[in-house]
Amino acid sequence: MEVKQQKEISKTDKKKEMIMFLSSSEEKEHFLSKANRKILSDPLNDNNPITVQVLGICSALAITVQLKPAIVMSLAVVFVMAFSNVIISILRNSIPSRIRIIVQLVVVATMVILVDQILKAFAYDVSKQLSIFIGLIITNCIIMGRLEAFALGNGVYKSFLDGIGNAAGYGLILIVVAFFRELFGSGKLLGYEVLGHKGLTMADSTGLYALGYENNGFFLLSPMALIVVGIVIWVQRSRNRKLIEEN
């Protein structure tokens, strides 16, 4: 009798362990589990590719004179990074290590060509405005970094979230910088006058221009993009002290 009771107890314990294991697996794989939310949200703040990892600065300088191209560039990077991550994650076990960089470049280049053709078909003016910068997404160090560091070692869904999160973090900074540069540089947002209308004389002007405000042309120059990015980094680290490096 004691032997039977011990066997029953051991079976019950094994069932409990199995249920706990399945429960924990389901938690890990849950669509919006804590780990998945962290992959998606960390690049927006604590691990932002521009303000924390200091990557992709070149495009922040080049395409943030106006808000519209910055938004289009951000959406293009979201598309390229998310689907490149997904494709590399699917192929990761079949790519020979010595040619993985070539495969990654081919995948990213294909996504970039798709974006370029879509822009030419549906937003030709923006396509001309962004010109070579869309093509330069191929060499964006953030995209290649995420393919190497994440997509090659993780599943499809997590890689998709990682691509969306990092591209959104990158795009967020681009849009913030472009917002201030267009607003103070030309008094407009998305081409619309928001600070008033500047006439030939002060009497003909409206809004802030009627009070003597003048557009600050320095905001339209590339150095101002660096200064705005620096201010964003300063504000972010003053609000999030754990980002401050210890000497």
Side-chain angles (χ1 to χ4, degrees), residues 6-230:
Q6 287 179 351
K7 285 183 178 178
E8 289 176 356
I9 291 173
S10 64
K11 286 181 180 177
T12 304
D13 291 340
K14 286 181 179 178
K15 286 181 179 177
K16 287 180 179 179
E17 290 176 0
M18 182 63 70
I19 291 171
M20 291 178 65
F21 172 77
L22 291 174
S23 299
S24 62
S25 299
E26 287 176 0
E27 177 66 24
K28 286 180 182 177
E29 297 301 327
H30 191 275
F31 183 71
L32 288 176
S33 66
K34 186 177 180 180
N36 288 340
R37 291 200 305 272
K38 187 175 176 60
I39 291 173
L40 193 61
S41 62
D42 258 13
L44 297 177
N45 186 14
D46 292 351
N47 200 21
N48 188 279
I50 291 181
T51 59
V52 178
Q53 300 177 33
V54 197
L55 298 172
I57 295 292
C58 303
S59 52
L61 304 181
I63 61 163
T64 53
V65 176
Q66 294 181 331
L67 192 53
K68 186 176 180 180
I71 293 173
V72 173
M73 183 72 169
S74 302
L75 293 175
V77 172
V78 168
F79 176 84
V80 172
M81 196 181 294
F83 286 99
S84 296
N85 261 15
V86 167
I87 294 172
I88 292 298
S89 176
I90 293 171
L91 300 176
R92 70 186 189 280
N93 293 324
S94 58
I95 303 174
S97 177
R98 63 183 181 280
I99 62 166
R100 70 187 190 284
I101 299 295
I102 297 173
V103 175
Q104 290 169 16
L105 283 172
V106 170
V107 171
V108 175
T110 304
M111 294 297 110
V112 170
I113 290 170
L114 278 176
V115 169
D116 188 44
Q117 294 302 307
I118 291 172
L119 283 178
K120 284 180 178 175
F122 298 103
Y124 185 68
D125 290 341
V126 177
S127 171
K128 285 180 66 178
Q129 193 172 359
L130 290 174
S131 64
I132 62 171
F133 297 111
I134 288 293
L136 287 177
I137 292 175
I138 297 171
T139 60
N140 191 312
C141 43
I142 300 172
I143 296 177
M144 295 302 294
R146 297 322 299 171
L147 294 177
E148 272 290 294
F150 199 92
L152 279 175
N154 289 277
V156 173
Y157 180 59
K158 289 183 184 296
S159 297
F160 179 72
L161 292 181
D162 181 76
I164 294 286
N166 278 277
Y170 166 85
L172 175 65
I173 302 302
L174 252 64
I175 290 170
V176 169
V177 174
F179 175 88
F180 288 108
R181 291 186 72 190
E182 184 176 1
L183 179 64
F184 294 116
S186 60
K188 299 177 181 177
L189 286 176
L190 294 173
Y192 296 100
E193 295 174 336
V194 294
L195 297 183
H197 174 71
K198 182 175 175 53
L200 294 177
T201 63
M202 192 174 292
D204 297 331
S205 302
T206 60
L208 291 181
Y209 296 107
L211 302 175
Y213 178 81
E214 292 291 336
N215 290 329
N216 189 340
F218 186 49
F219 271 85
L220 302 179
L221 302 178
S222 294
M224 199 59 212
L226 271 182
I227 293 173
V228 176
V229 170

